[in-house]
Amino acid sequence: MPDEVDRSVRTVHVPLGERAYDILIGHGLIESAGERLAQAFPGRRFGIVTDMEVAQAQLPRLTSALQAAGIGHEVVVVPAGEASKSLDRLGDVLDGLLSARLERGDLVVALGGGVIGDLAGFAAAITRRGMDFVQMPTSLLAQVDSSVGGKTGINAPQGKNLIGAFHQPRLVLADLDALETLPPRQFAAGYAEIVKYGLIDDEGFFFWLEENRANIFSGGPARAEAIARACAAKTRFVLADEKETGVRALLNLGHTFGHALEKVTGYSDRLLHGEGVAIGMVLAHRFSARLGLAPSQDGVRITRHLEAAGLPTEIGQIAGDKLPVEPMMDAIAQDKKVVRGKLTFILTRGIGQAFVERNVDPEAVRAFLEEMSA
Amino acid sequence: MPDEVDRSVRTVHVPLGERAYDILIGHGLIESAGERLAQAFPGRRFGIVTDMEVAQAQLPRLTSALQAAGIGHEVVVVPAGEASKSLDRLGDVLDGLLSARLERGDLVVALGGGVIGDLAGFAAAITRRGMDFVQMPTSLLAQVDSSVGGKTGINAPQGKNLIGAFHQPRLVLADLDALETLPPRQFAAGYAEIVKYGLIDDEGFFFWLEENRANIFSGGPARAEAIARACAAKTRFVLADEKETGVRALLNLGHTFGHALEKVTGYSDRLLHGEGVAIGMVLAHRFSARLGLAPSQDGVRITRHLEAAGLPTEIGQIAGDKLPVEPMMDAIAQDKKVVRGKLTFILTRGIGQAFVERNVDPEAVRAFLEEMSA
């Protein structure tokens, strides 16, 4: 941490009518959570859902803060990792929340990364047919991605995030201090989602990231700005299209390929979600170039930036055995973004010019993937 | 079935804005479902969720109808009974729907009683973060109760319906023919929910039921009218208060006691849901009389009507061992209708005069239950 810690708090407002909420981004937000929650939700109890790793790194700070503020709370801990986005672990969380006798007016706190946000948010959505919840994202990925949009859920054997609900948090506290204990590989993976917002429709933001990457990675002031800009960008898309029937699909840039890669690597440490997105974004640009839609030098420029951030950009860089194409195609076909048998992909005309293409030929994808996996 | 079958179809419209839908009540609705669904949802596929008993009695009629209309469909069958409202069976249904590769625009059909409506509706709510669904209620209880309100969900070890979502069907087909194969005990249990609407706020409807009970039970024209009036009554409450923050709570008349009785009898054949509601409504009236709120002769009149319908009206009439009071109190305390430690009950000032009382003394309930269980 720098000697002079910036105590200012940035706020991104997500104006969703009666479900509007704020994302606060700053240092010390977990330490000051007691006061803030007592003020925002007087008299409520909190069911904190977290994982074993985050429990070690962050939980004592939060429970002390709640205790000091006289706020009743219970804790449910699940194993760390994507495997916890399962029906079994969901059952554990529901059991923990119900056994703690949380009432309908009480709140769930999701303290952790994207897995915990998705799992705890979904548990909140379906406990007593809907409890309020507060997100305290502790990974960069969760701060920029899960904080906005209200998507919660778990994985199914048939694919990622196939079971879930739209459920907006009441408040998001994105504590920059939590990122200090984040492994560099996790930080880089989260950074991929930030880059995505530049690639979708904001060339200027991508150029800014090229300039400020070092400062963002070293924990300088550009870090908070990058997070806030990514949250604000996602908010724009979510507002335009809360239930993901149209432009919000652009947020899936890099995700159809990325999810397929995550699936064939078993949602394991072989490939983090953000790493899959990084490779997926490069693939989306290359595939678009292949179709004559985008200049190939944009793909090269993106590849260079992601590589400098320590991210993989090719399928061949994934550790372990060579990945077979057929299971990737199956995963793509099972993806949520399939409409009446046609493949839908987010393609691009260049940096900042992504678009939804609903008529992608599965055979062209297969041929492209075979080449990229060779 | 009477020789002259009434082919008219009654429609109750549930005007919930963009989630508005119709409940159709009539004979032959399953046989004619193919045409109707093809027209309402062109090009969609259907995942039918049903139980083993209903599958035997009703499924062939439905699959033939869909086949004849050229509608693609898959079937997921779960065991019959309340025990299927579990996380494990939910997992089976989700697995079935996802393995059938139903897409986001496809629909789930809940073919069965209340258990199937709750389970399949909840599965629809959380598959791909929300699929449309059609209800085909085959029990009287489901036709009058689950058809309106959008409540879906499963049970938890801590209590009934503690896990779930609000999810409105797109269409309800309440086929009167399905009731012909319903065991008399099940029919009577469903009738208890019809009586409830009279008791809540429509004395005239209760008197009409007293007059027409025989015709309703024998399958005369009063049956469709009773179902339609009950659906319309529930619609009124749901409209007034879609998310159950206020008057909708009146629909729980008899349900706090009823759920507690169901819980201590293990959600088993010892006590059907509607039977629990019947006893619960009598208890609510007696408890209200005990508190000096309602005339005790109203409780007597209700008891007489429910008895004539073949329903239990006292805790002592439940088969098996005497039921202990303490677990009932635990169940009541864990009930969704607890707010900040105070017990909320639906009490009454007489037939058609139910109201929400949020300050019920737990000790008064305990003493009353001990007396009623003696």
Side-chain angles (χ1 to χ4, degrees), chain A residues 21 85 90 108 110 114-127 131-135 145-155 160-169 234 242 244 248 336, chain B residues 104 125-130:
Chain A
Y21 64 93
K85 281 179 65 174
L90 176 70
V108 173
V115 168
I116 289 298
D118 286 1
L119 176 67
F122 185 41
I126 64 175
T127 300
M131 291 179 67
D132 286 336
F133 83 114
V134 172
Q135 283 209 351
D145 192 48
S146 324
S147 298
V148 189
K151 283 191 179 182
T152 69
I154 57 176
N155 300 325
K160 212 170 140 68
N161 296 320
L162 290 176
I163 302 166
F166 285 94
H167 193 53
Q168 306 292 343
K234 185 162 186 185
E242 202 190 334
E244 197 178 37
R248 183 165 169 176
K336 288 185 304 301
Chain B
R104 211 188 240 178
I126 65 174
T127 299
R128 299 173 183 276
R129 295 202 187 91

Side-chain angles (χ1 to χ4, degrees), chain A residues 43-45 87 91 94-95 98-99 101 103-104 106 122 125-130 151-152 156-158 161-166 243-244 330 333-336 338-341, chain B residues 43-45 87 91 94-95 98-99 101 103-104 106 122 125-130 151-152 156-158 161-166 243-244 330 333-336 338-341:
Chain A
R44 312 289 191 87
R45 290 171 66 229
L87 203 60
L94 294 170
D95 198 56
L98 291 169
S99 296
R101 302 208 162 199
E103 297 175 9
R104 212 190 240 179
D106 293 332
F122 185 41
I126 64 175
T127 300
R128 297 173 182 278
R129 295 204 189 89
K151 283 191 179 182
T152 69
Q158 293 85 358
N161 296 320
L162 290 176
I163 302 166
F166 285 94
K243 292 284 168 91
E244 197 178 37
D330 284 350
Q334 178 67 18
D335 201 86
K336 288 185 304 301
V338 177
V339 178
R340 315 240 66 82
Chain B
R44 313 290 193 87
R45 291 171 65 228
L87 204 59
L94 294 170
D95 198 54
L98 291 169
S99 296
R101 300 207 165 200
E103 298 175 7
R104 211 188 240 178
D106 293 332
F122 185 40
I126 65 174
T127 299
R128 299 173 183 276
R129 295 202 187 91
K151 282 191 180 183
T152 68
Q158 293 84 0
N161 296 320
L162 290 176
I163 302 165
F166 285 93
K243 292 286 168 89
E244 197 178 37
D330 284 350
Q334 178 67 19
D335 201 85
K336 289 185 305 298
V338 178
V339 178
R340 315 238 67 80

Side-chain angles (χ1 to χ4, degrees), chain B residues 104-122:
Chain B
R104 211 188 240 178
D106 293 332
L107 288 96
V108 173
V109 173
L111 176 71
V115 167
I116 289 297
D118 286 2
L119 177 66
F122 185 40

Side-chain angles (χ1 to χ4, degrees), chain B residues 141 183-193 253-255 257-259 261-262 265 267-283 306 309-315 317-319:
Chain B
L141 178 65
R185 189 181 164 197
Q186 295 277 356
F187 189 88
Y191 183 71
E193 291 279 358
L253 176 63
H255 279 62
F257 286 126
H259 284 167
L261 292 170
E262 280 185 276
T265 51
Y267 301 115
S268 69
D269 267 359
R270 279 180 76 189
L271 186 74
L272 302 179
H273 173 70
E275 292 172 340
V277 170
I279 298 174
M281 291 191 298
V282 171
L283 290 178
L306 295 173
L311 285 160
T313 57
E314 290 180 24
I315 296 176
Q317 290 167 345
I318 300 171

Side-chain angles (χ1 to χ4, degrees), chain A residues 242-319:
Chain A
E242 202 190 334
K243 292 284 168 91
E244 197 178 37
T245 47
V247 297
R248 183 165 169 176
L250 293 174
L251 297 175
N252 285 316
L253 176 64
H255 280 62
T256 300
F257 286 127
H259 283 166
L261 292 169
E262 280 186 275
K263 189 166 184 203
V264 296
T265 52
Y267 302 115
S268 69
D269 267 359
R270 278 180 77 188
L271 186 74
L272 302 179
H273 174 69
E275 293 172 339
V277 170
I279 299 174
M281 291 190 299
V282 171
L283 291 178
H285 272 265
R286 286 193 186 167
F287 187 56
S288 300
R290 176 72 45 95
L291 297 174
L293 296 165
S296 60
Q297 66 267 30
D298 278 12
V300 174
R301 186 169 178 176
I302 295 161
T303 303
R304 201 174 299 139
H305 183 66
L306 295 173
E307 274 172 355
L311 285 161
T313 56
E314 291 178 25
I315 295 175
Q317 290 167 345
I318 299 170

Side-chain angles (χ1 to χ4, degrees), chain A residues 104-223:
Chain A
R104 212 190 240 179
D106 293 332
L107 287 96
V108 173
V109 173
L111 175 72
V115 168
I116 289 298
D118 286 1
L119 176 67
F122 185 41
I126 64 175
T127 300
R128 297 173 182 278
R129 295 204 189 89
M131 291 179 67
D132 286 336
F133 83 114
V134 172
Q135 283 209 351
M136 299 193 189
T138 59
S139 73
L140 182 58
L141 178 66
Q143 293 188 353
V144 299
D145 192 48
S146 324
S147 298
V148 189
K151 283 191 179 182
T152 69
I154 57 176
N155 300 325
Q158 293 85 358
K160 212 170 140 68
N161 296 320
L162 290 176
I163 302 166
F166 285 94
H167 193 53
Q168 306 292 343
R170 292 286 307 273
L171 176 68
V172 178
L173 301 178
D175 189 340
L176 295 170
D177 295 344
L179 304 181
E180 299 299 329
T181 52
L182 198 66
R185 189 181 165 198
Q186 295 277 356
F187 188 88
Y191 183 70
E193 290 278 359
I194 295 180
V195 173
K196 188 184 74 175
Y197 294 100
L199 300 186
I200 292 174
D201 74 340
D202 193 348
E203 192 185 40
F205 184 47
F206 181 75
F207 298 162
W208 182 86
L209 290 172
E210 287 185 318
E211 299 278 316
N212 290 279
R213 182 183 47 76
N215 189 288
I216 292 166
F217 274 71
S218 68
R223 182 180 285 185

